[in-house]
Every structure is written in structure tokens, then in C-alpha cells.
């Protein structure tokens, strides 16, 4: 049964929880734990799973889903009713996947279906392109052409140098001695001969190169035509696929992926003019847990009450996902879709929209050029959407005479601690230079969550390159190919009885979320900072504090140090 009954006491909440900002309630936790009992305890690869608490005709239960696709092993399914993933290393699930999880919004993996049939046609074109590109005759023709081009270049250059050398000798003779008419005529004849020799050499190789280019150009033209044909078929198949993914909302209205993303980017005013909307739709959009769960609920008249998604298995190499941890919906794939699907659904107040810092902004130091503040957790560094107070807005109001960009550096909203703000442009430029030269010293203190296996050395250096996660901003990911260098020094301060670790960080570079990713990533400390809702688990706050700041005063040249404990 896809609907799994829950026999618990539950007061129906006013509206559904926000999938982008939530903490699983007791019933969602109970449903998630029930699902986890069905999953392999130590899977070889990780996957995101989700539960949606629903109600219908007074019955309470949950729906379950997994992100992405699972390719069914037909023989195994027929013999045992069990299903395994297409990866031979994956552990088999011990129940019938088709009867336990909600179906895909659109199943495009049917072997004889429209998508697979046309995908096979594109695959055949790819194979034909590879055959032409790797054909011995084509490779030999290209090699011969390249060798002939090199030979022609050398031959023409040799003839030209010979002509120039002969000309230099003639000019030298004319300058140093009297030349008879017969000698002058001979030198003129020599000049004409050598010029003609250059022309003959160019003409000879031009003819040879034109002949050698024919076979190469014919093959390249055939490959280009195949690539154009492939592009037309791929674009048509992609458009067809996007139109098959139709998503319902609570009112029974339906929109496909193209319309959803078109409206979303129009509302956000983020899509570049003239850009193809299909290129803005991420691969795998519509295959995450959240849209699958809501689609099934709306299609079968269930009332959605709350949802929760958790990662099960090893973490991917780039993203940070910890086994058994709950995570919000991703922004890149899910936000446009869920905005539409939940457009007619009442949501509970978001913790992000209601949680603000109740502390004021402490002024630690101020003079005519700078101000150093102690930012509380929950306060923005610079103004965001809405009229919430920020460090910049408060400092501007307190020091109306201040000019220039002012904000030399920032802290995440959830991070507390020291920030230096410039009161004039000269101070701003000076401090910016100090940051660029890494002469400013910063030190943070953090509390790391307990994890099953702590293997953290007393001190060390973490070097993991970072880049933005384009599909889930503002998250960052470890990216060895395109990431920017990110280096952090750390020292363990205390190991608590409850498994938490108090740690000191000294960031050598200043990348976005550097300390948070270096803490949580398996190749870093493999322990998220307590309260890190992006890379770990929510708490009353993010336990990260910028406690120490040292820099040179931009005007006096005096070295200043500030230390504020959390």
C-alpha cells in the first residue's frame, strides 16, 4: 500500500510546514523512522528519501518517496517481488518499491516508451559520430594534412629566407664595389628566379593541401550534419519531456515544467532576455521527493499536513549529506515547482521569516575612520529583502556622517561576532587591501555536533576548494575542478561528555560558508557545526562566533586587536 496508516494522536496543524525551512514534527519523525526500518542499514550509495503526512476521510498516514529514479531489475522483480537498483553494488530493498513509494510524476524510463525509443535513436547518432571521428581513414587523413601543412610552412619559409639572404648579398655587393651591367643583369635574374621559386613553392603546396583537405572536409561535414541532426532531435525530445511533467496544486490546476519555470524566472526577473527557458531547467527537475509526494497527494485527494526529507547512506563527494540527517528542499530544482504546487496551500509561518535577533548591535570600538561591532546571531550584515535591521543600516543610522561602501567584510546572518566597518572611502580601500593581502587576522570559535566516529586530530589544516552549488544556492560544495582555494587552520579546545567538540578556527582564506563546509564535509572534520541547518541539523542558533579580529588602523598605522567571547 502506498498510503501507510499511522496510529498516533495528532492535532492537525494550521497549514503545511514550509519544505524550505522546517523541523520535522513528532509524527513526521515517526513516519521517517518507520520508513528507515525498511531501508538497508548500510547502503553502498546514498539517496534522499522523504515522507509526507497526509489525511483523508479522518484517516492519518504517510506517503513515501525517493529522489531520482530506480531502474527495476525485471527478473528479480518477477521472482521475489523485491527490487534492486541498477547499480550492482547497491543493496536490494527488502520490499516492493512500486507498492511502497509514490510513483514518479512521469515515468520516462519505460523500455519501449517514447522517451527511451527516441533516446536510443540519439544514442545511435552518437555512435555514428564516434565511428566517423575514430575511423582510421579519417585519422590518417587528418594526420597527413597536418604533416603536409607543417611541410608546406617549412618549405615556403626556407624559400623566403633563401630569397632574403640572396638579396642581402646583392645589396652588400652594390654598396662595396662597382657593378657592371652584365653583373647587374645577372643579379636581377637571380632575384626574379628566387621570387618565382617562392611563388612556385606556395602554388605547389596549395594544390597539395587542397587535395589533402577534401577527405578531411567531407568527413567533418558528415560529422557536423550528424551533430546538427542530434541537436534537433535532442531539443525536441527535451521539450517533449518537459511538457510531460505536469504538476498539480491543491485546486487541481496543472502546469508543465516549461510553464512553471517560465513564470518563476519572470517573477524573479532573473532569466536573461532571449535565453532559452529549457536551458534554465535543471536536469532531474521534478524527480525529487517533494514534488512526487505532493503530486500523489493532490491527485488522490489527500490533505498534506507536513513533510520531511532525510539522506540515507554515504555522502556524495561534492555535496554535504550526512546519513539520517533531515534536509530542506533544494532551491534550484524544487523551488519553482513547489512554489506552484503549494500556491493554493496554506503554509505555516516560516522560522526564517519570524526568527530575528532580539539582541542589539554592540559597538566595540569607534573613531573617525572605523567602527568595530559585535553582530548577534540572526542579524543580517547588509540589508536583504524586507525592512529587517542589518549591521549596515544600524551603523548608517548611528553615524550619518559616514560615507563610502562601508562594509569591508561580512558574516553570515546566523554567525555572530566581530565586524569592522569603514566610515569613509579611504579607510574602506585600506582595509580591503589588508584583506586581499591576508594581513588581517581572524579567529572563530565553534561547537561541532557529535557524530558516530570522531577522528579529529588535536590541530591541523583543511584545504578543500569551494564553489557555489548552482542547483541549491546559497549552499557551497567541494569542487576540485572549478572551486576556489579555501584553507582553514583549526585547534580542538574541548571535547564534551555529550560528544560535542569546541574548536577554534583560523581561516586563511575567506570563502562563503568556508568554515561550515570544512567542518561538515567528510574530507574535512566530518562534523557539522551545531545548529547549521544547511549542512547539518537545526538548533536554537548556529554555534559559530567570530571572537577575534586584528588589523592595522587605516589612518594611524597602529595594530589593533579585538576579542569578544560568545
Amino acid at each position: 500500500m502506498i498510503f501507510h496508516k499511522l496510529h498516533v494522536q495528532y492535532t492537525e496543524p494550521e497549514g503545511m510546514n514550509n519544505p524550505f525551512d522546517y523541523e520535522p514534527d513528532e509524527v513526521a519523525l515517526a513516519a521517517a523512522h518507520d520508513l528507515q526500518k525498511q531501508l538497508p542499514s548500510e547502503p553502498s550509495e546514498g539517496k534522499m528519501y522523504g515522507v509526507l503526512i497526509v489525511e483523508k476521510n479522518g484517516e492519518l498516514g504517510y506517503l513515501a518517496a525517493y529522489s531520482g529514479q530506480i531502474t527495476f531489475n525485471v527478473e528479480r522483480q518477477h521472482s521475489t517481488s523485491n527490487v534492486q537498483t541498477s547499480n550492482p553494488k547497491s543493496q536490494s530493498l527488502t520490499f516492493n518499491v512500486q507498492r511502497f513509494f509514490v510513483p514518479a510524476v512521469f515515468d520516462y524510463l519505460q523500455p519501449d516508451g517514447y522517451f527511451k525509443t527516441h533516446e536510443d535513436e540519439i544514442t545511435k547518432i552518437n555512435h555514428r559520430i564516434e565511428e566517423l571521428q575514430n575511423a582510421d581513414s579519417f585519422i590518417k587523413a587528418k594526420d597527413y594534412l597536418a604533416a603536409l601543412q607543417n611541410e608546406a610552412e617549412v618549405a615556403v619559409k626556407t624559400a623566403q629566407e633563401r630569397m632574403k639572404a640572396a638579396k642581402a648579398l646583392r645589396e652588400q655587393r652594390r654598396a662595396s664595389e662597382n657593378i657592371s651591367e652584365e653583373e647587374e643583369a645577372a643579379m636581377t635574374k637571380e632575384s626574379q628566379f628566387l621570387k618565382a621559386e617562392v611563388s612556385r613553392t606556395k602554388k605547389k603546396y596549395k594544390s597539395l593541401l587542397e587535395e589533402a583537405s577534401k577527405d578531411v572536409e567531407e568527413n567533418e561535414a558528415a560529422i557536423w550534419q550528424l551533430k546538427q541532426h542530434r541537436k534537433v532531435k535532442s531539443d525536441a525530445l527535451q521539450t517533449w519531456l518537459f511538457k510531460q511533467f505536469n504538476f498539480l496544486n491543491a485546486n487541481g490546476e496543472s502546469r508543465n515544467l516549461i510553464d512553471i519555470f517560465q513564470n518563476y524566472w519572470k517573477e524573479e526577473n532573473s532569466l536573461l532576455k532571449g535565453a532559452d527557458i529549457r536551458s534554465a531547467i535543471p536536469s532531474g527537475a521534478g524527480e525529487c521527493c517533494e514534488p512526487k509526494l505532493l503530486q500523489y497527494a493532490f491527485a488522490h485527494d489527500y490533505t498534506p499536513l507536513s513533510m520531511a526529507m532525510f539522506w540515507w547512506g554515504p555522502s556524495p563527494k561534492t555535496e554535504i549529506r550526512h546519513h539520517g540527517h533531515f534536509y530542506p528542499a533544494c532551491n534550484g530544482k524544487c523551488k519553482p515547482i513547489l512554489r506552484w504546487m503549494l500556491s493554493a496551500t496554506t503554509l505555516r509561518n516560516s522560522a526564517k521569516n519570524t526568527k530575528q535577533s532580539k539582541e542589539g548591535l554592540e559597538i566595540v570600538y569607534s573613531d573617525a575612520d572605523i567602527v568595530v561591532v559585535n553582530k548577534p546571531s540572526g542579524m543580517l550584515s547588509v540589508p536583504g529583502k524586507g525592512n529587517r535591521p542589518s549591521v549596515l543600516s544600524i551603523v548608517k543610522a548611528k553615524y550619518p556622517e559616514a560615507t563610502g561602501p562601508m562594509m569591508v567584510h561580512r558574516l553570515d546572518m546566523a554567525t555572530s561576532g566581530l565586524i569592522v566597518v569603514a566610515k569613509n572611502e579611504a579607510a574602506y580601500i585600506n582595509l580591503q587591501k589588508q584583506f586581499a593581502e591576508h594581513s588581517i587576522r581572524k579567529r572563530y570559535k565553534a561547537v561541532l555536533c557529535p557524530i558516530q566516529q570522531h577522528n579529529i586530530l588535536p590541530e591541523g589544516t583543511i584545504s578543500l576548494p569551494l564553489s557555489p552549488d548552482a542547483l541549491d544556492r546559497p549552499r557551497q560544495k567541494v569542487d576540485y575542478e572549478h572551486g576556489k582555494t579555501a584553507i582553514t587552520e583549526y585547534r580542538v579546545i574541548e571535547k564534551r561528555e555529550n560528544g560535542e567538540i569546541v574548536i577554534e578556527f583560523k581561516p586563511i582564506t575567506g570563502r562563503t560558508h568556508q568554515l561550515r563546509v570544512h567542518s561538515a564535509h567528510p574530507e574535512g572534520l566530518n562534523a557539522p557545526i551545531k545548529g547549521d541547518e544547511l549542512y547539518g541539523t537545526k538548533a536554537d542558533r548556529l554555534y559559530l562566533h567570530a571572537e577575534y579580529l586584528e588589523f592595522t588602523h587605516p589612518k594611524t598605522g597602529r595594530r589593533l586587536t579585538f576579542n569578544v567571547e560568545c
Side-chain angles (χ1 to χ4, degrees):
M1 289 291 292
I2 289 178
F3 174 75
H4 311 285
K5 290 184 181 180
L6 287 170
H7 302 285
V8 295
Q9 293 294 324
Y10 190 54
T11 302
E12 187 172 320
E14 294 182 6
M16 204 187 91
N17 62 347
N18 186 337
F20 297 96
D21 181 30
Y22 70 93
E23 292 181 70
D25 57 30
E26 291 184 6
V27 178
L29 285 172
H33 292 155
D34 186 64
L35 170 57
Q36 289 168 2
K37 291 176 185 177
Q38 316 298 324
L39 302 175
S41 58
E42 295 183 1
S44 58
E45 61 180 358
K47 183 175 282 291
M48 192 73 78
Y49 294 88
V51 294
L52 176 65
I53 307 301
V54 294
E55 183 272 335
K56 183 178 181 180
N57 299 329
E59 277 195 315
L60 184 72
Y62 76 90
L63 309 174
Y66 52 83
S67 288
Q69 296 270 356
I70 290 180
T71 303
F72 301 129
N73 182 308
V74 177
E75 291 182 6
R76 183 174 177 80
Q77 186 178 344
H78 286 171
S79 60
T80 67
S81 295
N82 290 343
V83 178
Q84 63 182 20
T85 61
S86 57
N87 187 337
K89 295 181 180 179
S90 300
Q91 296 187 26
S92 300
L93 302 180
T94 58
F95 56 94
N96 191 306
V97 172
Q98 290 173 307
R99 293 182 181 177
F100 193 91
F101 292 108
V102 301
V105 174
F106 175 67
D107 184 5
Y108 57 90
L109 293 182
Q110 294 299 322
D112 299 322
Y114 183 94
F115 181 84
K116 295 300 291 183
T117 300
H118 286 75
E119 186 183 52
D120 288 343
E121 293 176 1
I122 294 171
T123 300
K124 289 177 182 177
I125 296 174
N126 287 333
H127 290 161
R128 181 56 184 154
I129 291 172
E130 289 178 8
E131 287 175 1
L132 290 177
Q133 289 175 330
N134 297 321
D136 286 342
S137 58
F138 182 46
I139 293 172
K140 288 178 180 177
K142 287 197 299 181
D143 289 344
Y144 174 68
L145 178 61
L148 191 62
Q149 287 171 333
N150 184 62
E151 182 184 319
E153 184 179 342
V154 171
V156 171
K157 187 175 181 180
T158 299
Q160 289 173 334
E161 288 176 349
R162 182 183 174 192
M163 181 180 68
K164 290 178 182 178
K167 180 181 179 181
L169 288 173
R170 289 195 302 271
E171 291 177 348
Q172 185 179 359
R173 283 187 62 193
R174 289 189 181 103
S176 61
E177 57 183 284
N178 293 323
I179 304 298
S180 66
E181 290 183 4
E182 292 80 4
E183 289 173 322
E184 184 65 41
M187 287 192 290
T188 299
K189 187 176 181 180
E190 179 190 53
S191 175
Q192 291 172 341
F193 173 80
L194 292 175
K195 285 181 181 178
E197 190 67 15
V198 171
S199 296
R200 282 191 292 271
T201 303
K202 288 181 177 180
K203 187 176 180 180
K204 169 189 171 183
Y205 280 102
K206 181 182 179 183
S207 176
L208 291 173
L209 287 169
E210 286 176 351
E211 188 64 30
S213 296
K214 284 182 181 179
D215 291 338
V216 174
E217 289 172 355
E218 287 176 2
N219 275 275
E220 287 179 340
I223 292 170
W224 182 85
Q225 287 178 348
L226 284 170
K227 287 182 176 179
Q228 290 299 109
H229 183 45
R230 179 181 64 185
K231 184 179 186 306
V232 170
K233 291 187 72 67
S234 295
D235 288 348
L237 184 59
Q238 184 185 60
T239 301
W240 175 88
L241 181 62
F242 288 157
K243 287 184 176 180
Q244 307 313 304
F245 275 85
N246 288 281
F247 298 88
L248 296 167
N249 65 12
N251 290 336
E253 300 166 316
S254 179
R255 279 186 184 173
N256 64 47
L257 271 178
I258 293 177
D259 291 338
I260 286 173
F261 274 83
Q262 185 78 58
N263 289 337
Y264 176 80
W265 290 115
K266 185 177 180 181
E267 290 172 6
E268 294 291 312
N269 198 27
S270 299
L271 190 66
L272 294 176
K273 188 175 181 180
D276 185 352
I277 185 62
R278 293 173 304 183
S279 65
I281 302 177
S283 175
E287 298 185 59
C288 295
C289 297
E290 299 87 346
K292 285 182 179 180
L293 290 166
L294 290 170
Q295 182 79 355
Y296 191 87
F298 292 146
H300 294 83
D301 297 322
Y302 289 106
T303 301
L305 303 177
S306 67
M307 61 167 47
M309 283 66 63
F310 62 89
W311 182 263
W312 198 252
S315 176
K317 290 184 179 180
T318 55
E319 293 181 89
I320 295 174
R321 295 283 186 258
H322 288 277
H323 180 69
H325 281 216
F326 290 87
Y327 292 93
C330 65
N331 286 304
K333 294 180 183 179
C334 289
K335 195 169 186 177
I337 299 172
L338 297 187
R339 179 182 286 188
W340 157 249
M341 297 187 82
L342 296 173
S343 59
T345 302
T346 301
L347 298 180
R348 301 174 219 165
N349 287 332
S350 167
K352 284 181 182 175
N353 292 333
T354 59
K355 183 181 178 182
Q356 297 188 28
S357 172
K358 296 179 181 179
E359 302 174 52
L361 183 65
E362 178 188 357
I363 305 299
V364 178
Y365 173 87
S366 178
D367 61 24
D369 300 287
I370 61 170
V371 56
V372 178
V373 301
N374 180 25
K375 184 186 85 69
S377 175
M379 181 181 285
L380 295 164
S381 292
V382 297
K385 293 182 179 179
N387 297 315
R388 297 180 60 177
S390 65
V391 171
L392 181 57
S393 65
I394 293 171
V395 171
K396 275 186 173 182
K398 189 172 182 65
Y399 305 101
E401 74 282 1
T403 60
M406 298 181 69
M407 294 301 296
V408 182
H409 65 126
R410 306 176 186 182
L411 293 176
D412 294 340
M413 182 178 74
T415 305
S416 60
L418 294 166
I419 298 179
V420 57
V421 182
K423 287 185 176 180
N424 53 63
E425 190 167 357
Y428 174 84
I429 293 172
N430 182 284
L431 290 167
Q432 279 274 295
K433 185 179 179 183
Q434 290 186 54
F435 269 106
E437 294 173 348
H438 302 292
S439 63
I440 290 182
R441 302 282 180 262
K442 294 184 289 181
R443 187 173 70 235
Y444 293 74
K445 190 168 284 183
V447 178
L448 305 188
C449 290
I451 58 172
Q452 291 181 353
Q453 294 180 343
H454 266 306
N455 189 25
I456 299 177
L457 298 174
E459 58 183 42
T461 301
I462 304 165
S463 180
L464 294 173
L466 304 178
S467 68
D469 186 340
L471 294 180
D472 200 8
R473 294 179 185 273
R475 288 173 61 94
Q476 305 292 303
K477 63 180 181 179
V478 172
D479 185 349
Y480 286 102
E481 186 175 357
H482 304 294
K484 293 182 178 180
T485 301
I487 302 171
T488 304
E489 295 177 352
Y490 73 89
R491 181 170 67 91
V492 174
I493 304 297
E494 175 190 357
K495 291 188 177 181
R496 296 174 174 171
E497 291 184 2
N498 63 359
E500 293 178 349
I501 292 179
V502 181
I503 202 159
E504 178 184 278
F505 287 120
K506 291 182 180 178
I508 306 304
T509 54
R511 308 300 177 201
T512 301
H513 294 180
Q514 177 175 315
L515 301 182
R516 298 166 71 172
V517 176
H518 281 183
S519 296
H521 197 273
E523 295 179 35
L525 299 179
N526 196 29
I529 296 174
K530 184 178 178 179
D532 190 344
E533 59 186 281
L534 282 180
Y535 307 104
T537 305
K538 251 185 179 182
D540 56 317
R541 63 155 289 178
L542 176 69
Y543 280 70
L544 178 63
H545 177 71
E547 67 173 9
Y548 180 84
L549 185 62
E550 177 185 338
F551 58 91
T552 300
H553 193 283
K555 191 170 186 179
T556 67
R558 187 163 58 94
R559 196 69 177 170
L560 302 178
T561 60
F562 300 93
N563 194 87
V564 176
E565 292 188 5
C566 186

